[in-house]
Amino acid sequence: MNLDPELYGTKIIPFVNVKGFLQEMLSQLEFSRDYEKEVVLDVGCGTGGTTFHLVLPLFPRLENLYAIDALPKMIHNAEMCNSHPLIEYSVADIEKWPTVKNWRGQITKLVSIYCLQWLKDTKKGFQNIYQLLKPGGKAAICFPMQSIFYEAMKEMENNSKWRSYFKDVGEYISDAHLNKRTSSYYEKMVKEVGFEIVYLNEELANDAFSSDKSFTKVFLYFSFNYILNVYGK
């Protein structure tokens, strides 16, 4: 997969539900109040807008905030546009253990926003997340399952006029959407990995965009239906 960082933008992702998940839901769950010195990992940070503007302020006792993305271009843009003394950006893939093993057992809190839907092996991603957490560490994960975005991609693939532009469309359609996964599927998966579920919620979410241009810039992040998960180790 080779996503263009310009499609994501470099500021806050303009999703009300993402803000609500980070600023309201995690606050209600007292997600950032367990450790005197928090070592946080943001998985799938993209261009760093959410990392800098929404994740960083969550942790008043932050020691380090590591932020990773599998795409070097994303990390380059994050370092250029959303740098901070406490944030360390790195190219790493949560699905590939050798790229993240240096943080094994060190992370007190892990956050992942709209990332795990891209994984080919979601269970492997959860297994790696589990190994990165310290005893008592927690992960807060939000990702889409069903989306009209994916249906639009499939329609474009079948349209003779646009088919040539959507040759690799399968890379952009998640397993959750193709196989109509529900929260119970992921609940079973994370329990098998070893997590204790603190909070799990699946709901229909709607996000409005201010203009066609705004929508176009975040087209690859677009989704209406998402799952909110907070897991405690």
Side-chain angles (χ1 to χ4, degrees), residues 129-153:
I129 288 171
Y130 187 84
Q131 292 189 76
L132 295 179
L133 294 174
K134 291 182 66 172
K138 294 180 180 179
I141 300 169
C142 172
F143 64 93
M145 293 191 300
Q146 312 305 316
S147 172
I148 63 168
F149 156 65
Y150 295 128
E151 288 302 315
M153 296 286 282

Side-chain angles (χ1 to χ4, degrees), residues 24-199:
E24 299 173 15
M25 182 59 65
L26 297 191
S27 177
Q28 292 176 28
L29 295 169
E30 299 186 341
F31 184 72
S32 60
R33 299 183 185 179
D34 296 321
Y35 291 87
E36 287 299 321
K37 294 182 179 179
E38 296 282 6
V39 179
V40 179
L41 178 64
D42 183 3
V43 174
C45 65
T47 54
T50 300
T51 309
F52 181 87
H53 293 282
L54 297 178
V55 177
L56 181 66
L58 280 176
F59 300 96
R61 297 190 294 268
L62 184 66
E63 185 173 84
N64 292 105
L65 172 51
Y66 300 105
I68 65 172
D69 200 278
L71 302 178
K73 287 183 180 180
M74 294 291 187
I75 294 300
H76 174 73
N77 278 32
E79 291 175 333
M80 294 292 292
C81 303
N82 290 298
S83 64
H84 187 279
L86 292 176
I87 302 177
E88 181 179 325
Y89 292 104
S90 301
V91 178
D93 187 340
I94 195 61
E95 204 171 0
K96 299 177 180 177
W97 178 247
T99 71
V100 297
K101 65 180 182 180
N102 289 341
W103 294 295
R104 182 174 187 172
Q106 298 181 30
I107 305 302
T108 63
K109 300 290 167 55
L110 185 146
V111 176
S112 182
I113 305 298
Y114 284 22
C115 171
L116 266 64
Q117 75 273 15
W118 299 116
L119 303 188
K120 297 299 182 183
D121 188 344
T122 309
K123 188 170 185 178
K124 182 63 176 176
F126 278 118
Q127 288 171 335
N128 290 343
I129 288 171
Y130 187 84
Q131 292 189 76
L132 295 179
L133 294 174
K134 291 182 66 172
K138 294 180 180 179
I141 300 169
C142 172
F143 64 93
M145 293 191 300
Q146 312 305 316
S147 172
I148 63 168
F149 156 65
Y150 295 128
E151 288 302 315
M153 296 286 282
K154 289 166 65 177
E155 287 188 24
M156 297 297 277
E157 182 186 27
N158 295 325
N159 188 298
S160 59
K161 180 178 180 180
W162 301 105
R163 186 179 300 135
S164 62
Y165 297 98
F166 287 80
K167 292 180 180 178
D168 299 319
V169 68
E171 289 190 51
Y172 301 92
I173 300 177
S174 72
D175 168 76
H177 183 87
L178 286 175
N179 293 293
K180 302 187 184 304
R181 306 295 191 196
T182 64
S183 57
S184 61
Y185 172 82
Y186 295 102
E187 180 180 10
K188 180 176 182 290
M189 179 186 294
V190 297
K191 285 181 176 179
E192 289 175 351
V193 169
F195 285 104
E196 174 190 349
I197 299 177
V198 176
Y199 175 82

